[in-house]
């Protein structure tokens, strides 16, 4: 990435750095200035090109170094270290080509962004223009995508005369019709995105078996996965170097490490310990080999909204595994979609995983005006619940609302209509975490503010509703009814004074053990009993306490 | 229903008539025993608080609290009311035999009622039940019939009868007899006079307890066995989550949420035990922290702090600081952010692992009306509420959708979590339809059409009111649990024998229904013809020891060993660094070098390598496993050479090569 230094350019560069650090810190980034007085590049073979940062994984130091160049003080520092000199974009591009070729790693994609506010950098020097064009096409040939991030300048920035030949043109529709992302606009770069970038990678490659010998190869992709805060890394307090954790299993008496063959697995039911080999435990879970097996088809209305147990995954054919998969897959997709049916399949997603039933819901491709895909073609895999997963509830008998009451609520609903977009809500927990981290890494005084997008905009809602809220309440609530009051009162009574320590006499305990009725006692009582008999327990779960007591007292 | 607790007396006839059977038929005694075994098994694994007692009648001896003046003879209380366990199962297996007396089943019933009344004193049970298993061959004393019925009613004790024959033999229609199958006992053989009289008595008792459905509680042994083959589904007491639904700050409605759908897990986890003693106390797991240096210096947990990656840096960020700076909120909440069209909330973007149903509180009619207005408004407008949901102060807030649900007998909101921007992965995939090479032809499409026709699981009758779904997934018990309990039960009762095959009914429940399989035969053949599918040759993924050690691994060859010495051996390596011990960076290379240099005795170098391998194996990480495999490869290759040399010297060979068993263990671990 190169830049003509300018305050707003630096701001964007900083934003690119901080975004990259969170979205994909393994990406290598370099910062190159051109048109400088001083030169600094690998073999110092180019004049007026200053490699401020070599291609490397970015970190806090780099952000601080960019910050150092900002503001009045920064401008002075920049003038001292780099100065300003002749411009040769060709040399700068060449230098960048060298930076790329010096990297031993295989890079999956290379991108070069030119930040400038001059549409004629060489002021009409055609030799330099030509050299720049040659170098640009050399770079593009090695797979580098060149983007222009131009800033506004008085009179407008004219891309056409010079830069049109420099930047990469959006590719023609490739054979498979894959659209590349459109070039990010400068505004997009300035917008800070604090989310980890995920590579498209199949979670599993399986066969979708329609019948004997009819196997369609498919890949399973996770398209929505609950993002969590990145995991903490343990550091040695003295040196802040990362430590590795090792978990080992050893014998309490002999102290020797236990090999997998020296341990077994056990569960206790009905006061009896049942022991199995480790591979038996695995084999119990095995029903079939991994794969999807078609059971049949059902109309879409048979897919119930409330039959939801985990996020869906996405299915797309793998032509590279079984040739012809894409064609049959495509035919299934078209027909299921046309007839508004889903395919019911039995699914074993991995080795030794018990089967689950899934609904394959067809999803046709959708593209926007710019022919950019926003919905990919394939099947969404909806996991269906078993009988065990549905809980029996006892719904209360309540009177239904009258049509007048319903209509009033309809008015309220209409007032608060909005167009839901799934990407509109950021997770405030993760956003806060990243801002905290940034503040610590960059020695900031305080973290940037996080806007909690899932907080109701109460004032706005109240304003929009106007008198409607009161009108509705008059229709449904009697005078003096306060929906908030009762639970408050309850909470007060809930805080009763602490009960005295509960102890159960020994013979009573033994009787409980005998009858297998220890479960009747509460956890604090059981804990107390454990203490009483000197039983050491590892867990705090009720069952663990019961098991521990039972083994002690039955002995 | 979960959370309720019942007390049950199993009352089984073991008298001599129970052993009578027509040739080729199982005696009623055996069937009745199976019923109680299956029942107790289910109870043991369900691990609820239900208590169970077992009363036998027709026993040679007499042991019951009512045994006085020659009354209530030949009735034995085998087990008093308590939570059932494996001991009871073993007792049933080994101690319950056919005996040679007969006893009055009405007397036995009285003993059971007495037992229930005395042994449930001071305890709270939601249900008291007596299950009688008998062939009704004894004359029953009807003297106190009215008193008994009155007592049953008063104590709220329910009755169930399990008989060798159906209660309503004459009414049995064609449809029912199919299900019961041939050779159903009792249908072929006429009932005795006592049995007929007793059966009338049973009907009288049952109908006086429940006029309408009393006879539904009279089962045959066979039906009961069939119904009990399934282990109980996991039930949990629904936990109420009281909260207020808020729309702005002026409008709130009291609600109570219950988890309605969630992926249920087994309540118990496997515990690791020592293979010899079967004691979990003998096994200790421990996590240690060590520096990433050659000696893997261990450091105490207290001497570590936590940090987070920030690009190429790791920023120390202590737990205390993290807690102080983290996102905090006001706790429990169900606040409407706005309303939107249902079709904008895509089914495949549902997140989380549950559906929560929101009702009005039981005692609050006004909340019920207010909530009903919202539910119906949303339902009529085909809209949903987008809400902020927080379970409590400690849990992270979510964004989700509340769908209206209007059912015949209740109304509720159904809450499902929706994604955050960070959760979404917007992948693009090549277009399928716009690709001429891939698009299916019209004949191909019509082949798929007829496949779908033949495989519809929902049958539409001509009068379209009736739709029959022949494969309801939510009626299938989770096969993983069924299999789990089947194996546990088998191991508990038959220790030392291999695990049983899967139950046939379970296997069948997971398969394509037979009707469909038959119907789709021809369309599938058509698909096969119309869509050529060619598997692309790929290398095998599973590794065998032969692949790791090369094809000659099985028979080490002296010649090969000699040839190897020349290759992958670089003098420069030796010259460059002075290798004095097997390091951790490239232990295999160090090992080879040391063997070559002969600066240390062979045994010692081997020991150093073994030590490194052990170190590597203590890390749960594929990279380290792979490294240890290269070490073992080197170990093996050098040991083979060593053996060859030693043999040449005609000295005793030192057995040093690892046997393949360990390698297999190693591969298992990956």
């Amino acid at each position: 990435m190169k830049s003509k230094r300018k305050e707003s350019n630096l701001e964007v560069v900083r934003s690119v750095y901080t975004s990259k650090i969170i979205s994909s810190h393994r990406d290598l980034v370099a910062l190159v200035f051109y048109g400088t007085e001083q030169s600094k590049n690998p073999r110092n073979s180019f004049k007026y090109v200053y490699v401020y940062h070599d291609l490397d994984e970015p970190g806090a130091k780099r952000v601080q170094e960019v910050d150092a160049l900002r503001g009045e003080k920064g401008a002075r520092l920049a003038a001292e270290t780099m100065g300003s000199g002749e411009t040769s974009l060709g040399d700068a591009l060449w230098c960048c080509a060298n930076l790329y070729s010096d990297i031993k790693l295989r890079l999956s994609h290379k991108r070069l962004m030119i930040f400038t506010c001059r549409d004629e950098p060489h002021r009409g020097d055609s030799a330099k223009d030509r050299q720049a064009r040659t170098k640009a096409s050399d770079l593009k040939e090695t797979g580098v995508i060149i983007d222009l991030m131009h800033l506004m300048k008085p009179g407008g920035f004219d891309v056409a005369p010079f830069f049109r030949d420099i930047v990469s043109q959006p590719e023609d529709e490739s054979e498979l019709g894959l659209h590349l992302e459109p070039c990010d606009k400068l505004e997009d770069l300035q917008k800070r995105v604090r989310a980890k970038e995920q590579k498209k990678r199949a979670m599993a490659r399986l066969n979708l078996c329609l019948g004997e010998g009819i196997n369609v190869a498919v890949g399973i992709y996770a398209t929505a996965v609950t993002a969590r805060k990145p995991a903490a890394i343990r550091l040695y307090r003295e040196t802040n170097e990362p430590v590795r954790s090792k978990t080992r299993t050893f014998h309490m008496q002999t102290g020797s490490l236990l090999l997998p063959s020296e341990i077994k697995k056990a569960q206790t039911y009905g006061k009896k310990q049942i022991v199995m080999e480790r591979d038996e435990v695995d084999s119990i879970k095995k029903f079939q080999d991994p794969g999807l097996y078609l059971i049949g088809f059902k109309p879409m209305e048979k897919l119930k909204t409330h039959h939801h147990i985990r996020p869906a995954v996405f299915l797309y054919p793998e032509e590279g595994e079984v040739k012809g998969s894409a064609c049959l897959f495509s035919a299934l997709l078209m027909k299921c979609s046309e007839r508004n049916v889903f395919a019911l399949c039995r699914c074993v997603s991995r080795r030794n995983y018990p089967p689950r039933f899934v609904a394959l819901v067809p999803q046709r491709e959708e593209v926007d005006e710019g022919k950019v895909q926003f919905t990919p073609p394939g099947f969404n895999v909806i996991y269906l619940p078993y009988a065990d997963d549905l809980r029996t509830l006892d719904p209360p008998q309540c009177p239904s609302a009258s049509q007048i009451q319903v209509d009033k609520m309809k008015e309220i609903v209409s007032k608060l209509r909005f167009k839901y977009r799934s990407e509109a809500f950021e997770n405030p927990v993760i956003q806060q975490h990243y801002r905290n981290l940034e503040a610590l890494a960059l020695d900031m005084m305080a973290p940037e503010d996080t806007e909690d997008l899932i907080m109701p905009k109460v004032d706005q809602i109240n304003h929009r509703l106007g008198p409607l809220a009161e009108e509705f309440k008059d229709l449904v609530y009697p005078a003096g009814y306060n929906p908030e009051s009762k639970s408050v009162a309850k909470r007060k009574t809930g805080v009763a004074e602490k009960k005295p320590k509960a102890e159960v006499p020994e013979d009573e305990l033994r009787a409980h053990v005998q009858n297998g009725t220890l479960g009747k006692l509460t956890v604090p009582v059981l804990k107390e009993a454990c203490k009483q008999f000197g039983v050491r327990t590892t867990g705090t779960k009720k069952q663990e306490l019961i098991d521990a007591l039972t083994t002690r007292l039955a002995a | 229903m979960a959370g309720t607790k019942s007390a049950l007396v199993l009352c089984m006839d073991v008298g001599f008539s129970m052993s009578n059977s027509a040739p080729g038929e199982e005696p009623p005694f055996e069937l009745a025993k199976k019923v109680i075994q299956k029942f107790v098994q289910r109870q043991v694994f369900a691990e609820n608080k239900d208590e169970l007692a077992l009363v036998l009648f027709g026993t040679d001896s007499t042991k019951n609290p009512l045994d006085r003046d020659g009354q209530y003879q030949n009735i034995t209380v085998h087990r008093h009311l308590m939570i059932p366990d494996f001991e009871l199962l073993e007792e049933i297996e080994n101690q319950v035999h056919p005996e040679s007396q007969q006893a009055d089943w009405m007397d036995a019933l009285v003993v059971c009622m007495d037992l229930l009344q005395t042994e449930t004193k001071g305890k709270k049970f939601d249900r008291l039940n007596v299950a009688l298993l008998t062939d009704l061959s004894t004359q029953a004393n009807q003297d106190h019939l009215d008193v008994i019925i009155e007592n049953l009613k008063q104590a709220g004790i329910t009755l169930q009868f399990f008989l060798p024959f159906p209660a309503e033999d004459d009414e049995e229609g064609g449809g029912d007899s199919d299900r019961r199958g041939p050779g159903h006992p009792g249908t072929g053989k006429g009932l005795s006079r006592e049995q007929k009289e007793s059966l009338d008595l049973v009907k009288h008792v049952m109908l006086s307890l429940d006029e309408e459905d009393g006879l539904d509680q009279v089962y045959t042994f066979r039906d009961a066995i069939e119904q009990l083959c399934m282990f109980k589904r996991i039930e949990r007491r629904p936990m109420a989550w009281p909260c207020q639904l808020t729309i702005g700050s002026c409008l709130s409605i009291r609600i109570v949420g219950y988890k309605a759908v969630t992926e249920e897990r087994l309540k118990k986890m496997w515990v690791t035990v020592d293979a010899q003693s079967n004691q979990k106390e003998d096994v200790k797991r421990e996590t240690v922290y060590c520096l990433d240096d050659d000696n893997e210096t261990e450091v105490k947990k207290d001497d570590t702090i936590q940090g987070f990656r920030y690009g190429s840096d790791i920023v120390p960020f202590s737990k205390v600081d993290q807690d102080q700076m983290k996102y905090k909120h006001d706790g429990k909440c169900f606040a409407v952010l706005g309303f939107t069209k249902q079709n904008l909330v895509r089914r495949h973007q549902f997140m989380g692992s549950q559906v929560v149903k929101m009702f009005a509180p039981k005692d609050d009619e006004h909340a019920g009306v207010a909530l009903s207005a919202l539910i119906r408004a949303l339902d009529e407008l085909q809209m949903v509420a987008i809400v902020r949901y927080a379970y409590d102060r400690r849990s992270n807030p979510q964004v989700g959708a509340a769908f209206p649900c209007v059912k015949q007998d209740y109304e509720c909101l159904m809450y499902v979590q929706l994604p955050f921007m960070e959760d979404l992965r917007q992948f693009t995939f090549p277009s399928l339809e716009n690709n001429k090479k891939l698009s299916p032809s019209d004949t191909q499409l019509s082949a798929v059409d007829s496949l779908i026709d033949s495989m519809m699981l929902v049958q539409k009758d001509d009068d379209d009111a009736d739709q029959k779904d022949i494969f309801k997934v939510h009626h299938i018990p989770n096969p993983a649990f069924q299999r789990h309990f089947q194996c546990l039960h088998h191991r508990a009762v038959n220790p030392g024998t291999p695990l049983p095959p899967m139950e046939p009914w379970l296997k069948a429940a997971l398969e394509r229904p037979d009707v469909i399989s038959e119907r789709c035969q021809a369309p599938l053949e058509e698909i096969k013809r119309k869509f050529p599918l060619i598997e692309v040759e790929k290398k095998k993924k599973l590794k065998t020891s032969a692949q790791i050690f090369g094809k000659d691994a099985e028979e080490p060859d002296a010649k090969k060993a000699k040839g190897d010495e020349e290759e992958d051996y670089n003098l420069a390596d030796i010259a460059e660094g002075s290798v004095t011990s097997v390091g951790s960076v490239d232990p295999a290379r160090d090992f080879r070098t040391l063997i070559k240099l002969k600066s240390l005795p062979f045994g010692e170098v081997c020991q150093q390598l073994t030590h490194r391998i052990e170190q590597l194996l203590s890390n749960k990480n594929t990279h380290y496993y792979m490294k240890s495999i290269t070490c073992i490869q080197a170990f093996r290759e050098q040991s083979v050479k060593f053996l060859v040399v030693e043999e040449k010297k005609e000295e005793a060979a030192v057995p040093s090569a690892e046997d393949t068993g360990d390698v297999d263990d190693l591969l298992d671990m990956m």
Side-chain angles (χ1 to χ4, degrees), chain A residues 292-545:
Chain A
L292 284 154
Y293 179 79
L294 178 67
I295 301 288
F297 298 89
K298 284 188 190 184
M300 277 307 291
E301 68 261 21
K302 287 283 165 192
L303 182 63
K304 303 289 181 221
T305 309
H306 64 281
H307 283 179
H308 165 70
I309 49 169
R310 51 171 107 152
V313 290
F314 184 74
L315 219 58
Y316 189 82
E318 290 279 336
E319 194 71 2
E321 303 272 328
V322 174
K323 222 169 160 284
S325 292
C327 181
L328 181 46
F329 186 94
S330 177
L332 270 173
L333 183 62
M334 283 163 87
K335 278 295 158 191
C336 284
S337 162
E338 192 182 299
R339 302 183 49 167
N340 204 24
V341 296
F342 67 85
L344 182 73
C345 290
R346 188 179 66 213
C347 170
V348 175
S349 48
R350 287 173 189 214
R351 215 155 59 99
N352 290 347
Y353 267 38
R356 273 267 161 201
F357 285 94
V358 294
L360 305 190
V361 178
Q363 174 173 289
R364 301 286 279 264
E365 184 183 19
E366 289 173 300
V367 292
D368 64 13
E369 312 85 43
K371 291 207 168 173
V372 176
Q373 182 182 77
F374 65 89
T375 313
F379 283 100
N380 284 308
V381 181
I382 311 278
Y383 287 89
L384 300 174
Y386 282 121
D388 301 75
D389 304 327
L390 302 178
R391 298 192 178 182
T392 325
L393 300 182
D394 180 20
Q397 293 301 312
C398 276
S400 295
S402 69
Q403 197 56 46
I404 303 167
Q405 291 162 330
V406 174
D407 287 342
K408 187 54 80 185
M409 185 49 97
K410 275 187 181 170
E411 282 180 56
I412 292 178
V413 168
S414 308
K415 283 274 188 234
L416 300 176
R417 280 178 82 120
F418 77 111
K419 203 167 172 220
Y420 170 79
R421 286 180 311 118
S422 53
E423 66 279 6
F425 300 99
E426 287 181 346
N427 187 338
V429 177
I430 294 181
Q431 292 301 321
Q432 184 69 53
H433 175 77
Y434 281 135
R435 281 167 173 80
N436 290 345
L437 207 56
E438 242 167 47
L440 285 172
L442 305 176
D443 287 329
M444 289 155 63
M445 295 294 284
E448 263 180 59
D449 283 337
T450 314
E451 193 193 348
D452 189 345
L453 295 170
I454 59 165
M455 207 58 180
K457 298 186 175 69
V458 174
D459 293 337
Q460 218 176 322
I461 291 176
N462 290 346
H463 178 72
R464 281 222 217 168
L465 291 186
L468 280 174
E470 286 307 318
E471 286 166 25
F472 178 76
K473 279 198 279 189
D474 288 345
L475 278 174
V476 293
Y477 294 151
Y481 174 88
N482 183 357
E484 267 126 279
S485 63
K486 273 188 186 170
S487 59
V488 175
K490 244 184 196 171
R491 206 172 294 155
K492 268 182 195 153
T493 54
V495 192
E497 62 272 41
K498 267 206 164 172
K499 279 180 194 163
K501 264 192 186 170
E503 250 180 61
V504 180
E506 185 176 335
D507 47 340
E508 202 175 309
L509 266 178
R510 288 195 189 278
H512 277 304
V513 171
Q514 204 82 76
N515 302 336
T517 49
L518 267 182
K520 289 181 191 171
L521 304 178
T522 60
V523 173
V525 174
L526 288 170
K527 273 190 184 159
E528 200 52 44
C530 282
K531 261 189 225 158
Q532 195 181 329
F533 290 97
V535 181
R536 295 257 317 265
T537 52
T538 44
T540 51
K541 277 199 174 161
K542 189 165 188 179
Q543 193 58 47
E544 287 166 342
L545 296 170

Side-chain angles (χ1 to χ4, degrees), chain B residues 565-579 593 596-597:
Chain B
E565 264 179 274
E566 262 65 52
E567 57 182 351
D568 37 83
Y569 199 63
N570 196 341
L571 255 179
D573 278 350
I574 312 170
E576 200 179 316
S578 49
V579 180
T593 312
K596 181 73 184 175
L597 287 175

Side-chain angles (χ1 to χ4, degrees), chain A residues 27 46 51 63 138 166 179 281 314 320 330 368 439 443 451 465:
Chain A
D27 285 3
F46 305 104
V51 178
V63 181
D138 286 352
I166 300 288
H179 299 281
V281 173
F314 184 74
S330 177
D368 64 13
D443 287 329
E451 193 193 348
L465 291 186

Side-chain angles (χ1 to χ4, degrees), chain A residues 60 210 233 235 244 268 298 304 307 316 323 339 364-365 388 410 425 431 452 462 473 481 484, chain B residues 249-250 252 268 282 296 305 307 313 327 347 364 380 421-422 430-431 433 453 471 478 512 534:
Chain A
L210 307 187
I233 300 167
L235 307 174
R244 257 199 345 240
T268 305
K298 284 188 190 184
K304 303 289 181 221
H307 283 179
Y316 189 82
K323 222 169 160 284
R339 302 183 49 167
R364 301 286 279 264
E365 184 183 19
D388 301 75
K410 275 187 181 170
F425 300 99
Q431 292 301 321
D452 189 345
N462 290 346
K473 279 198 279 189
Y481 174 88
E484 267 126 279
Chain B
S249 60
C250 306
S252 54
K268 279 194 180 163
D282 285 345
E296 305 202 298
I305 50 167
D313 306 310
Y327 173 84
R347 171 68 207 244
D364 193 337
E380 286 172 27
M421 176 274 285
E422 293 89 338
S431 173
E433 281 176 56
D453 281 333
F471 200 93
N478 188 335
R512 198 180 272 174
I534 302 145

Side-chain angles (χ1 to χ4, degrees), chain A residues 21 25 58-60 175-176 198 200 210 212 223-225 227 230 233-235 237 244-253 262 264-273 275 280 294-298 304 306-310 316 320-321 323 335 339 346 363-365 373 380 382 386-392 400-401 410 416-418 420 422 425 427 431 436 452 454-455 462 473 477 481 483-484 486-487 516, chain B residues 83 85-86 90 233-234 244 249-250 252 254 260-264 268 271-273 275 278 281-290 292 296 298 302-309 311-313 325 327 339-340 347-349 351-353 364 372 380 388 411 420-423 425 427-431 433 435 437 449 453 455 457 469 471 474 476 478-479 483-484 491-492 510-512 528 533-534 536 538 618 624:
Chain A
I21 282 171
H25 74 268
E175 218 183 18
L176 283 172
Q198 300 290 343
K200 187 172 101 183
L210 307 187
E212 185 72 40
T223 47
V225 179
I233 300 167
R234 215 150 257 296
L235 307 174
R237 193 190 287 278
R244 257 199 345 240
S245 73
K246 292 199 286 191
T247 305
R248 23 183 208 213
T249 311
F250 59 87
H251 197 275
M252 259 313 240
Q253 262 94 54
E262 288 169 322
K264 286 185 180 174
K265 295 286 177 179
Q267 289 197 350
T268 305
Y269 274 99
K271 291 194 263 180
K272 191 179 180 91
Q273 188 192 38
V275 181
E280 283 178 325
L294 178 67
I295 301 288
F297 298 89
K298 284 188 190 184
K304 303 289 181 221
H306 64 281
H307 283 179
H308 165 70
I309 49 169
R310 51 171 107 152
Y316 189 82
E321 303 272 328
K323 222 169 160 284
K335 278 295 158 191
R339 302 183 49 167
R346 188 179 66 213
Q363 174 173 289
R364 301 286 279 264
E365 184 183 19
Q373 182 182 77
N380 284 308
I382 311 278
Y386 282 121
D388 301 75
D389 304 327
L390 302 178
R391 298 192 178 182
T392 325
S400 295
K410 275 187 181 170
L416 300 176
R417 280 178 82 120
F418 77 111
Y420 170 79
S422 53
F425 300 99
N427 187 338
Q431 292 301 321
N436 290 345
D452 189 345
I454 59 165
M455 207 58 180
N462 290 346
K473 279 198 279 189
Y477 294 151
Y481 174 88
E484 267 126 279
K486 273 188 186 170
S487 59
Chain B
I83 289 176
D85 51 23
F86 266 100
E90 275 156 26
R233 82 183 177 130
I234 295 190
Q244 280 139 32
S249 60
C250 306
S252 54
R254 291 179 61 211
V261 183
T262 191
E263 193 169 336
E264 214 56 77
K268 279 194 180 163
V271 208
T272 305
V273 298
N278 284 349
E281 287 78 15
D282 285 345
V283 180
K284 176 120 168 108
R285 260 173 93 81
E286 178 193 65
T287 302
V288 292
Y289 298 93
C290 56
D292 203 9
E296 305 202 298
E298 276 185 27
D302 291 346
D303 288 335
T304 64
I305 50 167
Q306 65 166 16
F308 289 92
R309 183 169 284 286
S312 53
D313 306 310
M325 293 172 76
Y327 173 84
F339 299 97
T340 198
R347 171 68 207 244
H348 65 270
Q349 290 192 330
M351 299 295 291
S353 58
D364 193 337
S372 166
E380 286 172 27
R388 172 197 177 91
E411 294 169 5
F420 284 117
M421 176 274 285
E422 293 89 338
D423 305 338
R425 304 175 176 190
F427 299 145
T428 51
F429 289 85
S431 173
E433 281 176 56
N435 188 324
K437 272 191 215 160
D449 236 346
D453 281 333
M455 293 185 79
L457 294 163
D469 191 339
F471 200 93
H474 63 281
I476 303 175
N478 188 335
R483 175 77 178 141
H484 179 84
R491 179 53 48 88
L510 304 175
E511 287 302 325
R512 198 180 272 174
K528 216 171 182 173
L533 293 165
I534 302 145
V536 180
K538 283 262 163 86
S618 59
Y624 290 103

